[in-house]
Amino acid sequence: NESKLTTPSADKVLLAKELGLDKNNNLQEVNRHPGENKIGMVAWSITLFTPQYPNGRDIIVIGNDITHQIGSFGPKEDLLFQLASQLSREKGLPRIYISANSGARIGLAEELKHLFRVAWVDAQSPDKGFRYLYLTPADYMKITGGKGGIVVTELIEDEGEPRYKITDIIGKRDGIGVENLKGSGMIAG
């Protein structure tokens, strides 16, 4: 016994509302032009009109935005994924995740990169590798004011001069380090 299906009109196949984070990191509907998102994850609340659901079937779609830092994950991307997923569970809606990403965002503190110096194993043959990265005393003072914070160093003397051997790089900007592994690992399962 076949049931009679109603075909939705051709001009009403779907309705989509983009979801984004507000300034307080709450999930909300956003109205913006394509490409105006500031993070590498996008989400939508979509109503599909099909013969089985002529009055509409709601779903949540989440996807990486490969045009923003090659779709990599950081804390904001993880939060959007978490909140949109939570919304789908609360409303009992199917969630579709379209994965096109480069994994966790592990970056480099750009404010330091141009100041790095290299202590080569053999300065005449860089292909033999390096011993460590360092900052000159003047560069260290310029970026830290003598207080550290964005870089952790060890003051050493090498090749007859003082050097600030870099042991850890913190950087000024959040979202470029290992904190990004938590959410991307959770999403990956």
Side-chain angles (χ1 to χ4, degrees):
N1 192 17
E2 291 184 31
S3 61
K4 191 171 184 178
L5 298 177
T6 304
T7 304
S9 67
D11 62 335
K12 191 174 180 185
V13 176
L14 68 87
L15 295 175
K17 298 174 194 156
E18 187 175 357
L19 304 172
L21 300 175
D22 66 14
K23 64 181 179 178
N24 296 315
N25 290 326
N26 297 308
L27 192 66
Q28 69 172 15
E29 285 185 20
V30 295
N31 186 13
R32 60 183 171 209
H33 295 288
E36 289 185 347
N37 53 304
K38 303 288 186 228
I39 65 173
M41 183 80 66
V42 289
W44 297 271
S45 173
I46 297 177
T47 303
L48 301 173
F49 298 94
T50 69
Q52 292 82 8
Y53 294 96
N55 295 325
R57 172 71 164 122
D58 294 332
I59 64 171
I60 299 293
V61 176
I62 307 167
N64 301 97
D65 179 0
I66 202 76
T67 68
H68 182 86
Q69 296 189 11
I70 56 176
S72 60
F73 289 93
K76 294 280 189 182
E77 288 81 7
D78 297 337
L79 181 60
L80 180 64
F81 182 90
Q82 176 189 356
L83 294 175
S85 296
Q86 182 180 343
L87 177 66
S88 75
R89 287 189 301 273
E90 287 171 359
K91 292 189 170 193
L93 302 176
R95 180 197 72 193
I96 298 172
Y97 173 49
I98 302 170
S99 177
N101 66 75
S102 59
R105 182 177 308 126
I106 303 296
L108 184 60
E110 294 296 326
E111 66 272 15
L112 296 174
K113 192 164 76 172
H114 69 285
L115 300 174
F116 290 170
R117 307 292 168 107
V118 180
W120 298 104
V121 170
D122 179 350
Q124 303 306 314
S125 230
D127 60 321
K128 292 182 179 175
F130 68 96
R131 296 181 293 140
Y132 58 88
L133 298 175
Y134 70 96
L135 298 170
T136 66
D139 287 340
Y140 177 79
M141 294 306 271
K142 182 176 16 173
I143 62 166
T144 68
K147 298 176 189 164
I150 65 170
V151 62
V152 179
T153 62
E154 174 187 338
L155 180 59
I156 62 170
E157 187 162 322
D158 193 14
E159 297 182 18
E161 64 182 10
R163 295 177 175 179
Y164 285 88
K165 180 180 174 181
I166 298 171
T167 61
D168 301 284
I169 298 171
I170 308 332
K172 291 181 181 177
R173 191 172 57 112
D174 187 35
I176 62 168
V178 296
E179 67 273 14
N180 297 336
L181 296 172
K182 179 182 175 188
S184 65
M186 180 181 65
I187 291 168

